[in-house]
Amino acid sequence: MNLEQFSGVNAGYVLELYEKYRQNPEAVDPATREAFASWTPAEIPARADAAPSGPSAAIHVIVGAANLAESIRRYGHLAARIDPLGSTPPGDPSLSPRAHGITDHDLRALPASLVGGPVAESAANAFEAIEKLRRVYCSTTGFDYAHVFVPEERQWLRDAAESGRFLPPMDGKSAHALVDRITQVEVFERFLHRTFPGKTRFSVEGVDMLVPILDEIICGAADRGVRQSIIGMAHRGRLNVLAHVLQKPYSQILAEFKDPVGASTRLNLGWMGDVKYHAGARTAKPRGQMHVEMPPNPSHLEAVNPVVVGMARAAGTIAEEPGAPRFDGARTLPVLIHGDAAFPGQGIVAETLNLSRLRGYDTDGTIHIIANNQVGFTATPAESYSTSYASGLARGFKIPIVHVNADDPVACIEAARLAWEYRSRFRRDVLIDLIGYRRHGHNEGDEPGFTQPLMYKKVAAHPTVRQLFGAALVKQETIAQDELDAIEKKHWAVLEKAFESLKPEEDFVAPVAEPVPAGIAGQTPTGVPFDRLVTINTALQADPKDFTFAKKLERGRERRKAALASIDERTIDWAMAEELALATILADGTPVRLTGEDVERGTFSHRHAVYHDASTGREFVPLQEFPQSRAPFEIYNSPLSENGAIGFEFGYNIQAPGRLVIWEAQYGDFINGAQVMLDQFVTSSRAKWGLQPSLVFLLPHGYEGQGPEHSSARPERILQAAANINLRLVNCTTAAQYFHLLRRQAALLRRDPLPLFVMSPKSLLRHPLVASTPRELQEGRFQSVIDDLDMQARAKNVKRLILCSGKVYVDLITGERRAAADEVAICRVEQLYPFPNVALGEVLGGYPSLRDVVWLQEEPENMGAWEFLRPLLEELVAGRCPVRYIGRPRSASPSEGSAAWHQLNQKTLVDRAFNLRNENEAENTPRALPKEERSLTGSKR
Ligand SMILES: Cc1ncc(C[n+]2csc(CCOP(=O)(O)OP(=O)(O)O)c2C)c(N)n1
């Protein structure tokens, strides 16, 4: 036997203890002293990695005992009985003394202090201490925290588990309260089951302890002064949590089950709403001083995770003072409830966990609970994840995990208390893996026996947690059987009464968004007096003390300093317009948050909102420093995520509707990685849930020869989702337009909030034709349509009106044939949605001799705005002349891959635009699907 076999922490621990003993025998407890007294100096290696070849039996026994203890702490959860359906835990060989070359007899001869920790204090010897350790680690709770790398946290978790200090006392009063709550949870489901047979409710049964766990966490947090808890969860158990944790009235839930067709709210065809198990809620009365809130969520599992975390971040962000805002996580507690198949399967979970420790995203810890019913629809764990547990992903993020058997209420409450205390103390995420089963099929009309016959035989014979816990309490004589029966009757009676007195038409509360006040957007004044712009700009461009700018950036700063020397010079480029817009918004008192991939510098190295001292790296953020500011400015480079990052900003935005929240894509294309967030939250949440988001998206867009992946922000997708005035989509062409657009969005945050999508420029960021004069910032306002200024004097002669949007306008006006094309006018549609019907109508009215109206775009015919606009334009033109299309032909890919082809195609577009002779040619008219595409859907195939 060689000590090297026991190298590592345990050997080290024993040797450390021995060293302590050698220096001062009194420093160790008497039993350890006695054990060490039998060692001879020659047998003791100086260090674990310098072990001699033949240490005595005493050393091997002592090291074996220490290793056994460590193995139980590390791997004990593998032998824990955490499955209520009784499957055999996998176990681990290292949990037996034999694996360490020792016997129970050996352990009895050793002091308990070798095992260490609280269990040793009341144990007579190492054997007893090990047995106690097994009861902690291998019972109905699996403490899984060895992957936590911070020693202080690991020590705390070890002590928390082994001391049992979070175990709730089960005296008569607390046992009564707990069994009452469990009964309420169960009776609610059984009542719905009986009253609405077969109706989908995604019952909590099998993981009923979810509700008491939430109670415990929320009460713990409320006692510690947390003001708001935000719970994110999917379908499973949602109705139960809404009823019992968020106090949503039974009458309202029952009315939703009745689904009153013909109720007044349904008579309006614009009503959309959502199914009942997606609805959100907020407690009407606080629990203590805490409100509990649950945002609505879509079916897309786990998609609500970053939204909740973003909400918590916004709620904890103190945005009253200018400068950088402060975050105080002690105000808010986010709780996320996951499914056991969804947690490992949905990438958004990893994206959200990755936000948890980032500067701009940290919430001081989220409590995660996996409502683990050991099945996902019909899929088994073996089909759902490659990790050992459903919670495996959390390990990589060093999140402590407590696996707990959902049939042991006391263990569940202990897990909840430990989780809250850990979160509160270390301000980090923690996870409870609540392992139960699913009493019914995936939904209540589903037959689980088709796919899980054995499991469901067990489930059918398995008593509920209420029955098990009740029986145990009766057996212990903590509570009498008739008391249990009375509790059950009481809860039935409450539900029956609510049902009998139900008036579905009145009790049904439909979500309705505030109607949009007509025309406010167009009337919003956004100009800023020149003097004020000069004062603010001077402050922004002032050099901070002892700060060395990078040489190349100094030139840019000089340009910005000089830009307001004259009111009529075209000196304001895109980045400067943005900086002045944000500064004036802050000076008006509206907080701003700007995030996205590399936003601090800007993807195109144009923004420089954060400077880094060239010699020290120190940061300087002018928008946080200028004295005119009355509100905080936060700016963070986001992690490399779109779905998680947008979900987070959406949550932040709906929680703090008075702040201007902007997310910028690296290139507009990449927003398609967040299609779930766009479809499920940003564009539809108003119609489904009555939310009023106002998030701003800056999406670099434009055909510049970079290929299919850096050209299009896919405006067609945004337009497809545009209806009922649910968003604004803008593709504007001047720095001043952008300035007014941002200021308008800030001004409308309270009065007319809508998400804003901006197709933002790339090469045009610095283009002289896009630059504006200070006067345009002072006097103008955002224009949804800009008519052709050059043509107005000759409007009578104009035969073709070209309508276009964004960068292609610059290609047109810089085209060789522009100067000579007297009969062609070019009008910019700066706002694509809401469609500027009136403004465009006025433009058309100004050209009496039109022979055609052309929509010209860079995107292929099946992309861009054309298919959305065509019926609108045809209606507007009303048969006066044909409406034609000029653009790339239909294509499966957004653009050509070669820069040379791009140039050729772009030139062809421009040439066609000015070629009036081809007005009857087929390629200029709207075309039906090409033949070969149609044949694929034809009857012969
Ligand atoms: C993104 C997404 N994919 C698929 C589904 C369809 N679906 C709904 S529930 C479910 C099973 C979820 O299993 P689990 O996460 O274990 O939760 P449980 O229903 O068992 O509570 C599936 C596949 C969905 N809602 N969302």
Side-chain angles (χ1 to χ4, degrees):
M1 197 60 64
N2 190 312
L3 189 60
E4 270 169 351
Q5 281 178 265
F6 307 104
S7 63
V9 272
N10 306 311
Y13 169 68
V14 173
L15 293 169
E16 212 175 275
L17 209 60
Y18 180 75
E19 188 55 26
K20 228 170 163 186
Y21 159 81
R22 217 173 48 76
Q23 288 178 9
N24 173 16
E26 298 302 313
V28 302
D29 66 276
T32 309
R33 201 154 52 233
E34 198 182 314
F36 285 148
S38 66
W39 290 19
T40 61
E43 290 165 345
I44 311 302
R47 289 191 351 250
D49 56 2
S53 55
S56 75
I59 297 177
H60 118 250
V61 169
I62 289 168
V63 172
N67 274 343
L68 174 61
E70 178 64 15
S71 296
I72 294 173
R73 289 185 171 111
R74 200 174 256 269
Y75 305 115
H77 56 87
L78 293 170
R81 289 171 286 106
I82 47 182
D83 175 10
L85 298 180
S87 63
T88 311
D92 190 84
S94 71
L95 300 174
S96 98
R98 202 152 14 102
H100 303 279
I102 57 172
T103 64
D104 290 352
H105 179 75
D106 293 332
L107 287 168
R108 282 200 177 87
L110 290 174
S113 57
L114 273 178
V115 173
V119 293
E121 283 161 22
S122 56
N125 53 46
F127 176 78
E128 276 187 31
I130 289 284
E131 286 306 292
K132 285 187 180 204
L133 217 49
R134 279 191 209 286
R135 281 199 287 281
V136 169
Y137 287 97
C138 310
S139 60
T140 47
T141 302
F143 295 100
D144 186 358
Y145 61 82
H147 53 277
V148 175
F149 279 0
V150 183
E152 187 201 347
E153 288 181 33
R154 214 169 44 237
Q155 182 58 40
W156 184 91
L157 287 160
R158 175 180 143 171
D159 190 68
E162 294 173 20
S163 65
R165 66 174 186 274
F166 294 117
L167 280 166
M170 271 303 124
D171 52 41
K173 199 167 152 217
S174 40
H176 193 283
L178 186 52
V179 80
D180 187 290
R181 189 61 155 165
I182 297 171
T183 308
Q184 188 182 35
V185 170
E186 182 186 309
V187 166
F188 175 78
E189 299 289 356
R190 279 168 43 211
F191 181 85
L192 292 178
H193 203 72
R194 197 196 62 182
T195 314
F196 304 102
K199 272 215 173 180
T200 296
R201 65 177 196 283
F202 296 115
S203 153
V204 80
E205 289 159 284
V207 284
D208 311 43
M209 282 306 295
L210 179 63
V211 171
I213 285 176
L214 286 172
D215 286 341
E216 204 60 39
I217 291 170
I218 286 166
C219 288
D223 289 348
R224 214 65 71 72
V226 174
R227 306 271 176 80
Q228 187 182 14
S229 177
I230 306 172
I231 301 179
M233 73 182 299
H235 53 296
R236 180 75 50 212
R238 189 176 176 101
L239 295 180
N240 215 309
V241 172
L242 282 171
H244 298 130
V245 180
L246 284 107
Q247 304 154 359
K248 180 167 176 174
Y250 282 162
S251 56
Q252 211 174 313
I253 295 176
L254 294 172
E256 286 167 4
F257 267 92
K258 282 255 177 187
D259 205 2
V261 179
S264 55
T265 44
R266 281 271 166 128
L267 295 177
N268 169 5
L269 282 180
W271 192 94
M272 291 291 186
D274 200 352
V275 293
K276 51 192 163 292
Y277 40 85
H278 292 166
R282 177 181 160 87
T283 41
K285 281 182 279 159
R287 290 168 79 112
Q289 56 171 356
M290 182 207 266
H291 269 288
V292 185
E293 186 164 357
M294 183 189 290
N297 74 294
S299 264
H300 289 62
L301 294 165
E302 309 289 339
V304 81
N305 295 355
V307 176
V308 165
V309 176
M311 288 173 74
R313 173 75 186 195
T317 298
I318 300 157
E320 276 114 45
E321 303 281 318
R326 250 181 344 104
F327 176 71
D328 177 9
R331 294 175 168 210
T332 321
L333 172 68
V335 179
L336 288 176
I337 298 161
H338 310 273
D340 54 303
F343 187 84
Q346 294 293 308
I348 192 68
V349 176
E351 288 194 32
T352 309
L353 293 179
N354 189 46
L355 298 176
S356 64
R357 296 191 187 187
L358 304 182
R359 195 164 65 116
Y361 300 82
D362 189 358
T363 58
D364 277 359
T366 299
I367 298 185
H368 302 266
I369 304 171
I370 299 183
N372 187 343
N373 54 24
Q374 309 191 64
V375 60
F377 212 139
T378 68
T380 62
E383 291 164 324
S384 296
Y385 46 89
S386 298
T387 43
S388 311
Y389 293 103
S391 56
L393 181 66
R395 285 183 159 210
F397 292 91
K398 314 296 171 221
I399 295 171
I401 300 163
V402 183
H403 311 279
V404 63
N405 186 319
D407 269 359
D408 185 342
V410 173
C412 290
I413 301 297
E414 182 193 26
R417 290 183 175 188
L418 184 148
W420 159 249
E421 283 297 329
Y422 173 86
R423 190 272 182 186
S424 147
R425 174 179 277 260
F426 297 106
R427 302 182 165 203
R428 293 206 190 286
D429 287 21
V430 54
L431 188 147
I432 298 172
D433 181 17
L434 175 66
I435 301 175
Y437 54 90
R438 192 184 66 193
R439 171 102 5 223
H440 307 284
H442 172 64
N443 60 54
E444 287 63 32
D446 209 37
E447 174 48 65
F450 292 160
T451 49
Q452 269 78 19
L454 304 184
M455 183 183 196
Y456 274 84
K457 260 187 207 136
K458 275 193 196 167
V459 170
H462 193 75
T464 67
V465 63
R466 176 189 65 85
Q467 289 167 327
L468 289 170
F469 188 50
L473 293 177
V474 170
K475 196 166 163 208
Q476 290 162 21
E477 299 183 358
T478 310
I479 202 163
Q481 184 59 49
D482 52 356
E483 280 180 89
L484 289 180
D485 297 341
I487 293 173
E488 196 182 346
K489 274 206 195 96
K490 175 183 78 179
H491 290 301
W492 272 106
V494 174
L495 279 153
E496 265 159 3
K497 191 161 165 235
F499 189 62
E500 276 158 21
S501 51
L502 198 64
K503 297 186 201 72
E505 269 80 40
E506 286 168 32
D507 292 323
F508 186 83
V509 181
V512 219
E514 294 284 313
V516 182
I520 279 192
Q523 297 156 11
T524 311
T526 48
V528 178
F530 181 57
D531 291 351
R532 186 159 168 74
L533 289 173
V534 170
T535 314
I536 288 179
N537 191 50
T538 306
L540 288 171
Q541 310 310 335
D543 292 339
K545 243 180 107 195
D546 302 328
F547 195 93
T548 314
F549 288 93
K551 271 273 162 294
K552 281 191 178 161
L553 295 183
E554 270 176 4
R555 281 203 295 278
R557 282 181 63 77
E558 290 309 318
R559 246 197 325 273
R560 285 195 197 182
K561 275 178 198 169
L564 296 179
S566 143
I567 191 168
D568 284 320
E569 255 181 73
R570 227 157 256 295
T571 47
I572 313 282
D573 67 6
W574 201 270
M576 183 153 186
E578 179 184 272
E579 187 179 36
L580 287 173
L582 297 181
T584 52
I585 289 166
L586 293 166
D588 291 344
T590 301
V592 177
R593 174 178 165 96
L594 170 57
T595 64
E597 288 153 18
D598 309 292
V599 286
E600 294 185 1
R601 189 200 73 173
T603 297
F604 308 102
S605 202
H606 64 291
R607 177 173 291 121
H608 300 291
V610 179
Y611 292 99
H612 299 264
D613 186 296
S615 36
T616 65
R618 180 162 69 95
E619 290 185 358
F620 166 54
V621 185
L623 286 166
Q624 289 176 346
E625 304 282 341
F626 73 109
Q628 292 81 4
S629 179
R630 294 199 292 117
F633 174 65
E634 48 182 330
I635 179 162
Y636 300 106
N637 287 340
S638 75
L640 219 169
S641 146
E642 286 80 24
N643 209 19
I646 290 180
F648 185 98
E649 300 309 326
F650 176 85
Y652 190 106
N653 170 230
I654 55 168
Q655 182 67 33
R659 302 179 206 164
L660 182 64
V661 186
I662 307 172
W663 178 84
E664 182 174 72
Q666 188 105 74
Y667 282 87
D669 320 53
F670 301 119
I671 198 174
N672 62 9
Q675 203 61 45
V676 172
M677 293 303 160
L678 298 181
D679 289 348
Q680 309 308 321
F681 290 94
V682 179
T683 59
S684 66
S685 59
R686 194 177 170 101
K688 292 192 295 189
W689 311 315
L691 298 183
Q692 297 194 309
S694 56
L695 186 54
V696 180
F697 296 84
L698 304 181
L699 309 175
H701 172 85
Y703 282 56
E704 299 177 355
Q706 289 168 296
E709 262 77 61
H710 295 84
S711 298
S712 178
R714 301 297 204 135
E716 63 276 7
R717 299 221 170 117
I718 299 160
L719 288 169
Q720 190 196 38
N724 318 120
I725 314 290
N726 62 336
L727 57 87
R728 297 188 181 97
L729 171 58
V730 165
N731 192 2
C732 56
T733 50
T734 72
Q737 280 280 81
Y738 182 45
F739 173 85
H740 292 295
L741 181 67
L742 287 177
R743 288 190 44 79
R744 181 181 81 168
Q745 184 73 359
L748 296 178
L749 285 177
R750 295 278 185 200
R751 293 186 294 145
D752 187 6
L754 285 179
L756 169 65
F757 293 86
V758 185
M759 301 285 113
S760 58
K762 295 176 290 181
S763 65
L764 293 197
L765 286 166
R766 300 176 175 89
H767 198 292
L769 282 174
V770 165
S772 299
T773 65
R775 188 182 298 285
E776 284 164 341
L777 307 193
Q778 171 178 263
E779 291 173 3
R781 65 174 50 168
F782 179 77
Q783 296 164 267
S784 53
V785 168
I786 305 179
D787 196 1
D788 191 330
L789 305 174
D790 293 349
M791 286 296 142
Q792 278 166 7
R794 289 166 283 162
K796 275 207 301 291
N797 304 334
V798 169
K799 298 211 173 68
R800 167 171 289 178
L801 175 63
I802 297 177
L803 303 175
C804 64
S805 195
K807 190 214 116 222
V808 73
Y809 168 75
V810 176
D811 295 338
L812 280 176
I813 58 165
T814 51
E816 290 162 9
R817 298 177 61 179
R818 159 71 171 171
D822 268 5
E823 296 175 326
V824 178
I826 305 170
C827 168
R828 287 167 271 173
V829 182
E830 299 274 294
Q831 177 170 296
L832 291 163
Y833 189 85
F835 180 61
N837 213 31
V838 176
L840 261 181
E842 282 168 13
V843 170
L844 276 168
Y847 297 104
S849 319
L850 288 180
R851 280 211 240 135
D852 66 10
V853 170
V854 164
W855 175 258
L856 184 139
Q857 66 177 31
E858 308 178 283
E859 301 87 353
E861 189 175 350
N862 52 324
M863 299 176 192
W866 166 238
E867 291 191 340
F868 177 85
L869 291 180
R870 181 178 166 184
L872 297 170
L873 292 176
E874 283 173 347
E875 193 182 319
L876 200 65
V877 173
R880 254 181 73 193
C881 60
V883 176
R884 302 181 194 281
Y885 166 78
I886 295 181
R888 285 171 171 76
R890 297 181 68 82
S891 164
S893 166
S895 92
E896 54 286 282
S898 109
W901 269 109
H902 158 79
Q903 271 183 356
L904 197 66
N905 284 336
Q906 207 74 359
K907 186 169 177 312
T908 310
L909 290 185
V910 174
D911 286 349
R912 278 191 193 157
F914 294 114
N915 186 0
L916 291 187
R917 273 170 304 151
N918 72 355
E919 62 199 24
N920 292 319
E921 282 176 21
E923 69 262 30
N924 268 1
T925 55
R927 279 168 299 152
L929 275 182
K931 263 209 186 95
E932 69 278 11
E933 285 185 44
R934 271 181 290 162
S935 69
L936 287 176
T937 54
S939 56
K940 286 189 182 149
R941 299 292 291 261

